[in-house]
């Protein structure tokens, strides 16, 4: 059993003796403090430690660490609301930070309070998440300078890719286990494939607007390769030969070839 009072005392003493110039060391101790309070304290002691941390350390990164703590915990409607609240409060001070906006967008792609509506299908949950993420993305564009817009769009697209592939693999595993495919499952499959196409369209639009930006093309290729690796790994581990996975495999191979050929022109 953790002696939380002794642990608090040690952390408090450590914070006091760290030289004020050693920002990284001080930040690490505040993170340790927050971890301790989150795991062994209560909402009151956690909030008190959090308020002190954002005053005395790297405020933006303390906010992001708090969202990470909530997001790594078991997802419930309460933890989702708490995480969203931390993001909203952080934006009152850091609305010009692309890191905060990106973390918020990616969190919403993977979590929403509507996830807990009884009987919600995977596609309904996905639509709710993506709709909410686009609202956050549009808010970000109003705050961020234009040169940060491409970064945010590309990273959001990667998040959508990842989310869609995870769901398609989960559906394929469900079918492998012997559960019959229904019209609803087919609609989910089509919907998640459409999300991948949306992600590709974002990349293609960026390349059209910035044809000399080889970094955009490299990120695009890297993302397609990562997805292809995930598909191959899944097919190998599960012995899947489903039409879903074969079509995805061929689609990503064709996209990679096309991107390489365009790069050589």
């Amino acid at each position: 059993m953790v002696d939380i009072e002794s642990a608090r005392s040690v952390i408090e003493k450590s914070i006091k003796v760290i030289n004020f110039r050693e920002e990284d060391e001080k930040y690490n101790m505040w993170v340790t403090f927050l971890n301790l309070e989150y795991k062994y304290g209560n909402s009151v002691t956690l909030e008190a430690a959090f308020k002190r941390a954002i005053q005395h350390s790297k405020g933006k990164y303390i906010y992001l660490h708090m969202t990470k703590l909530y997001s790594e915990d078991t997802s419930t409607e309460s933890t989702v609301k708490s995480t969203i609240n931390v993001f909203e409060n952080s934006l009152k001070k850091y609305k010009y930070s692309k890191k905060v906006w990106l973390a918020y967008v990616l969190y919403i792609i993977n979590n929403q309070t509507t996830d807990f509506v009884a009987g919600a299908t995977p596609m309904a949950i996905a639509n709710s998440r993506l709709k909410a993420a686009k609202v956050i993305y549009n808010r970000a564009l109003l705050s961020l300078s234009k040169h940060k817009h491409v970064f945010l769009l590309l990273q959001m697209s990667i998040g959508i890719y990842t989310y869609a592939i995870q769901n398609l693999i989960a559906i394929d595993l469900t079918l492998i286990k012997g559960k019959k495919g229904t019209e609803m499952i087919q609609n989910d499959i089509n919907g998640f494939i459409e999300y991948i196409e949306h992600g590709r369209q974002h990349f293609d639009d960026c390349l059209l607007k910035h044809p000399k930006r080889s970094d955009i093309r490299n990120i695009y290729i890297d993302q397609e390769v990562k997805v292809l690796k995930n598909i191959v790994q899944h097919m190998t581990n599960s012995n899947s030969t489903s039409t879903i996975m074969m079509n995805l495999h061929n689609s990503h191979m064709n996209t990679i070839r096309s991107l390489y050929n365009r790069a050589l022109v």
Side-chain angles (χ1 to χ4, degrees), residues 169 172-173 176-177 228-241 245:
I169 288 175
D172 193 51
L173 285 171
I176 289 171
K177 290 176 181 178
L228 185 61
K229 284 182 178 179
N230 285 339
I231 293 168
V232 171
Q233 184 177 20
H234 163 67
M235 293 177 72
T236 302
N237 293 342
S238 63
N239 294 319
S240 173
T241 56
M245 290 297 120

Side-chain angles (χ1 to χ4, degrees), residues 17-235:
V17 300
I18 295 174
N19 189 295
F20 73 92
R21 292 188 180 88
E22 297 179 10
E23 283 296 322
D24 289 341
E25 288 297 319
K26 187 175 289 188
Y27 169 74
N28 289 336
M29 288 310 303
W30 280 111
V31 164
T32 301
F33 203 170
L34 292 174
N35 292 345
L36 176 75
E37 294 297 348
Y38 190 82
K39 190 169 183 179
Y40 300 106
N42 55 53
S43 59
V44 175
T45 58
L46 176 63
E47 183 66 18
F50 176 54
K51 287 180 178 179
R52 290 176 61 200
I54 58 178
Q55 288 178 346
H56 300 293
S57 188
K58 302 176 180 180
K60 176 169 69 175
Y61 295 98
I62 292 295
Y63 272 112
L64 289 174
H65 184 71
M66 278 297 292
T67 63
K68 182 181 178 184
L69 283 177
Y70 282 123
S71 63
E72 288 179 346
D73 203 348
T74 303
S75 182
T76 64
E77 189 170 2
S78 176
T79 57
V80 171
K81 285 180 178 179
S82 296
T83 310
I84 290 174
N85 186 53
V86 174
F87 273 120
E88 289 293 341
N89 286 332
S90 71
L91 288 169
K92 293 174 183 177
K93 292 187 66 176
Y94 304 105
K95 70 176 183 177
Y96 301 116
S97 169
K98 66 181 181 181
K99 286 185 178 180
V100 175
W101 282 112
L102 176 60
Y104 196 3
V105 169
L106 294 181
Y107 178 77
I108 293 298
I109 288 173
N110 292 283
N111 303 271
Q112 251 294 344
T113 53
T114 51
D115 294 358
F116 307 97
V117 175
T121 65
M123 202 66 245
I125 290 172
N127 287 335
S128 174
R129 290 178 178 184
L130 268 294
K131 183 178 179 181
K134 286 177 182 178
V135 170
I136 304 301
Y137 170 75
N138 289 330
R139 284 174 57 194
L141 296 184
L142 297 175
S143 296
L144 297 175
S145 53
K146 287 188 177 182
H147 75 277
K148 296 179 179 179
H149 290 187
V150 171
F151 167 85
L152 187 66
L153 178 60
L154 294 182
Q155 294 302 315
M156 184 178 77
S157 300
I158 289 172
I160 293 172
Y161 260 87
T162 304
Y163 176 66
I165 286 297
Q166 287 172 345
N167 277 274
L168 284 166
I169 288 175
I171 291 171
D172 193 51
L173 285 171
T174 299
L175 297 175
I176 289 171
K177 290 176 181 178
K179 295 182 179 180
K180 294 181 179 180
T182 64
E183 184 178 346
M184 185 177 293
I185 288 179
Q186 189 58 51
N187 288 338
D188 289 345
I189 292 169
N190 294 338
F192 287 122
I193 289 174
E194 190 175 325
Y195 281 150
I196 293 174
E197 292 305 320
H198 281 318
R200 283 180 177 149
Q201 190 59 55
H202 289 322
F203 277 110
D204 287 333
D205 290 344
C206 284
L207 283 174
L208 284 174
K209 291 178 182 178
H210 308 280
K212 295 183 179 180
R213 290 275 302 269
S214 60
D215 59 317
I216 295 175
R217 180 175 286 104
N218 291 339
I219 293 171
Y220 191 178
I221 292 172
D222 184 57
Q223 183 59 25
E224 288 287 335
V225 170
K226 284 180 180 178
V227 170
L228 185 61
K229 284 182 178 179
N230 285 339
I231 293 168
V232 171
Q233 184 177 20
H234 163 67
M235 293 177 72

